[in-house]
Amino acid sequence: DDEEDEDSDKKVAQKKKAEAANVKQIFFFQAEDGIRDAQESRGLGDVYKRQDIDRYSKHVELADEAYHIGPSPSSQSYLNSNKILEVAHDTKSKALHPGFGFLSENAEFADQCDREKIIFIGPPSSAIRSMGSKSESKNIMIKANVPVVPGYHGENQDKEFLLEQARKIGYPVLIKAVSGGGGKGMKIVHNDGEFFDQLESAKRESLKSFRDDRVLVEKFIQKPRHIEIQVFGDKFQNYVYLFERDCSIQRRHQKVIEEAPSNISPELRQKIGQSAIDAARAVNYYNAGTVEFIFDTETNEYYFMEMNTRLQVEHPVTEMITKQDLVEWQLLVASGYKLPLRQEDLKIYGHAVEA
């Protein structure tokens, strides 16, 4: 009887997901993220695009349908938006999940999906653009009363002017690429004598990686922790935070260990969670997003760093401690439904770590 009840519950849940989506969907995940989503979307008519190297991958095997979109170089496959949308139309897919990388934070691709009447399972392109620029996003956060690291986030890129800003902020400072990410275009400066060399290096690296050599200058937090908040919004201006992940263990600004929850106090968790919601609301955000903060262990203050406008690779640790399926939430929100839970309904269960 218990098994029959469990099967019945699964059928009800599956029916809810199918009704919520009510579309055939196309995904272009890779590796474990593809497996993860293929399992979640069973029964929804999931279509996977693959490049040559993915031919025998598990997520391709699990898909209802799989289509070749190009050779192994990503520029000819997973970054080929025209080919991706061509497959979407050919398969009569009504929605597209962009995965974790490639075009997932590309505002032009989100706009292209909208023009071609394909649901982009993610945030609005306006939010992607606003949060894609470190300087613009921080100016928006200042207006929304979200704490930001003291520094210069303006447009003046004259090297003498930036040096003067560094002196006003006080050394050590951090030079960061305006369009940066993944630790690229970031340089620590300890004094005037280092400034111009590090500025030139940061600009050169930024131009190579992001085709944009603009930088900002911020106070360097010497004893930090890196705390990120999983947020979710719907198209009815409802927001929740699904607690935090601590990703302070890093190598060359790349995250190595993710754990949830961290050991911050319940009071700080609520405060920083509300700041994350304020950040999302400031750009009319909906669907899944992660707001990253740097926490100063010397002052117990936290500051906004950036927002990742997509579902992140490390989202499973959040799923494990909340007992919620974030991909299912994405499908529901993209289909026009309200968030399935309110803030007071969300609880923390246990502890999870991802390496």
Side-chain angles (χ1 to χ4, degrees), residues 113-164:
C113 289
D114 186 57
R115 288 194 301 271
E116 300 197 24
K117 309 302 180 185
I118 300 289
I119 298 171
F120 180 80
I121 303 175
S125 60
S126 57
I128 297 175
R129 285 191 176 88
S130 294
M131 289 304 191
S133 166
K134 282 184 167 57
S135 57
E136 181 183 351
S137 65
K138 292 191 177 184
N139 288 329
I140 293 172
M141 293 305 101
I142 291 170
K143 293 178 182 177
N145 294 316
V146 176
V148 301
V149 179
Y152 176 72
H153 311 121
E155 293 297 321
N156 192 333
Q157 295 292 298
D158 178 77
K159 66 178 184 179
E160 295 290 347
F161 176 81
L162 293 176
L163 173 61
E164 185 60 33

Side-chain angles (χ1 to χ4, degrees), residues 45-79:
D46 48 311
V47 177
Y48 275 77
K49 296 183 296 301
R50 66 166 182 84
Q51 54 176 208
D52 287 345
I53 200 170
D54 294 325
R55 183 174 182 181
Y56 300 108
S57 297
K58 189 69 173 178
H59 67 287
V60 174
E61 178 186 330
L62 288 172
D64 294 321
E65 302 172 39
Y67 292 84
H68 182 254
I69 57 166
S72 296
S74 58
S75 61
Q76 300 175 50
S77 53
Y78 289 120
L79 290 173

